[in-house]
């Protein structure tokens, strides 16, 4: 089972995620005050969890379930979670982790549906689950302190580059406001910090992280991450960690 639900939080009085959970799941929650930087919080949580299966949720999430056959069911294509949906989600994710998947996640409810139950080897942000036993095998080898933001991208590449698959549900989804809302990482995350930290990611993972020239969203420069490529290279035994060339 998913033994613990960690919720990192910083300067937010309204705990949206926690309040969204049924009472039986609220009992599993551990709040982690983010006073040391979210990258260090991720590391602290991983060591604290040990070998159990655990979840890490942002503190501002709602949850929705997608119905591909919504017309047949005479319902909306996405519905807010009921308690049964939480049960189904936690049971499904736990079974995936126990089948040897190191990390699972939920897709953004605003993302266009894929028409499948899940996708593999892709981005996982804001709502994530970990196989603590597998993570424990490599926990001391992960470069937890590489970046202050973009830490989730780095962690995913640490997994994929070692041959560990991830899995993202397209049935169970999260909904959250955009980055930049008051509280949380927005207290210190801005476009320049985000850019400089992604340069560090490009230097460590030159084969998989590239800047999209002349492409911005809300004036933030964009980067492309080749998730599946990282996993495929791991299966070919190729050495791609780091680069002598430093990008500035």
């Amino acid at each position: 089972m998913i033994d613990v639900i960690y919720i990192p939080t910083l300067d937010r009085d309204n705990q949206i995620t926690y309040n969204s959970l049924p009472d039986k799941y609220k009992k599993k929650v551990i709040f982690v005050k983010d006073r040391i930087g979210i990258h260090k919080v991720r590391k602290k949580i991983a060591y604290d969890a040990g070998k159990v299966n655990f979840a890490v949720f942002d503190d501002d999430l709602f949850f929705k379930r997608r119905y591909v056959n919504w017309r047949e069911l005479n319902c909306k294509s996405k519905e807010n979670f009921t308690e049964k949906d939480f049960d189904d989600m936690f049971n499904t994710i736990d079974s995936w982790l126990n089948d040897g998947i190191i990390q699972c996640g939920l897709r953004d409810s605003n993302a266009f549906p894929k028409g499948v139950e899940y996708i593999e080897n892709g981005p996982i942000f804001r709502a994530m689950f970990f196989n603590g036993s597998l993570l424990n095998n490599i926990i001391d080898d992960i470069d937890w302190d590489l970046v202050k933001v973009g830490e989730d991208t780095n962690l995913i590449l640490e997994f994929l580059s070692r041959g560990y698959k991830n899995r993202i549900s397209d049935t169970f989804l999260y909904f959250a406001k955009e980055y930049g809302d008051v509280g949380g990482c927005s207290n210190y995350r801005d476009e320049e910090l985000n850019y400089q930290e992604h340069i560090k990611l490009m230097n460590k993972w030159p084969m998989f992280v590239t800047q999209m020239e002349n492409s911005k969203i809300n004036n933030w420069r964009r980067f492309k991450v080749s998730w599946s490529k990282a996993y495929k290279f791991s299966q070919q035994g190729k050495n791609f960690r780091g680069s002598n060339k430093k990008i500035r």
Side-chain angles (χ1 to χ4, degrees):
M1 65 174 64
I2 307 297
D3 291 276
V4 189
I5 302 169
Y6 293 93
I7 301 181
T9 186
L10 175 64
D11 296 339
R12 283 205 175 107
D13 295 326
N14 184 17
Q15 291 297 326
I16 296 173
T17 302
Y18 179 79
N19 292 333
S20 299
L21 297 172
D23 287 343
K24 65 183 178 182
Y25 292 111
K26 287 179 180 176
K27 295 177 182 178
K28 294 175 177 279
V29 169
I30 296 177
F31 288 104
V32 184
K33 293 294 183 181
D34 179 9
R35 300 293 182 188
I36 56 176
I38 189 62
H39 62 302
K40 293 183 179 180
V41 168
R42 293 280 190 256
K43 180 179 180 180
K44 179 180 179 180
I45 288 173
Y47 276 93
D48 182 75
K51 296 184 178 182
V52 304
N53 291 349
F54 64 98
V56 182
F57 293 156
D58 280 10
D59 63 2
D60 58 348
L61 304 182
F62 296 98
F63 300 88
K64 294 178 178 289
R65 183 168 190 156
R66 192 193 308 280
Y67 293 94
V68 176
N69 59 336
W70 60 276
R71 290 187 177 88
E72 299 172 21
L73 297 174
N74 193 28
C75 66
K76 297 178 181 178
S77 60
K78 291 176 289 190
E79 295 277 8
N80 293 333
F81 263 25
T82 64
E83 183 166 329
K84 181 180 183 304
D85 293 321
F86 278 103
D87 292 341
D88 291 346
M89 177 187 72
F90 281 111
N91 289 334
T92 297
I93 297 294
D94 190 61
S95 70
W96 292 349
L97 295 173
N98 291 335
D99 281 343
I101 303 296
I102 195 169
Q103 184 187 22
C104 296
L106 314 181
R107 290 193 76 210
D108 188 331
S109 64
N110 292 317
F112 193 79
K114 295 286 189 179
V116 293
E117 182 183 2
Y118 60 81
I119 58 176
E120 288 189 337
N121 303 333
I124 297 177
F125 304 118
R126 310 192 81 162
M128 54 194 76
F129 306 78
F130 297 89
N131 180 320
S133 182
L134 292 179
L135 176 55
N136 197 259
N137 291 334
I138 58 173
I139 195 169
D140 293 331
D141 300 323
I142 293 172
D143 189 353
W144 296 96
D145 298 318
L146 176 69
V147 289
K148 296 178 181 177
V149 298
E151 73 289 339
D152 292 331
T153 294
N154 183 56
L155 186 57
I156 294 168
L157 291 174
E158 290 275 11
F159 292 155
L160 296 178
S161 68
R162 289 180 167 85
Y164 290 98
K165 289 183 178 181
N166 71 27
R167 184 172 291 177
I168 307 104
S169 174
D170 198 31
T171 300
F172 306 112
L173 317 169
Y174 73 82
F175 170 78
K177 294 182 179 179
E178 295 297 323
Y179 290 114
D181 290 331
V182 175
C185 294
S186 65
N187 286 0
Y188 56 86
R189 182 175 192 160
D190 57 21
E191 194 279 332
E192 184 58 27
L193 175 62
N194 188 73
Y195 176 73
Q196 293 301 329
E197 296 302 277
H198 276 75
I199 293 299
K200 294 178 184 178
L201 290 171
M202 290 173 64
N203 284 327
K204 175 157 187 176
W205 309 105
M207 295 292 294
F208 313 129
V209 182
T210 55
Q211 185 175 352
M212 301 173 66
E213 297 294 338
N214 302 317
S215 180
K216 294 185 178 182
I217 295 181
N218 297 328
N219 292 320
W220 287 47
R221 285 163 283 192
R222 299 178 65 196
F223 293 82
K224 178 182 178 181
V225 183
S226 300
W227 312 103
S228 294
K229 186 177 180 182
Y231 180 76
K232 289 178 181 177
F233 270 46
S234 76
Q235 301 307 293
Q236 297 168 11
K238 294 186 177 181
N239 182 10
F240 47 78
R241 291 177 176 274
S243 170
N244 293 327
K245 180 182 177 181
K246 294 296 181 181
I247 304 168
R248 300 185 185 276

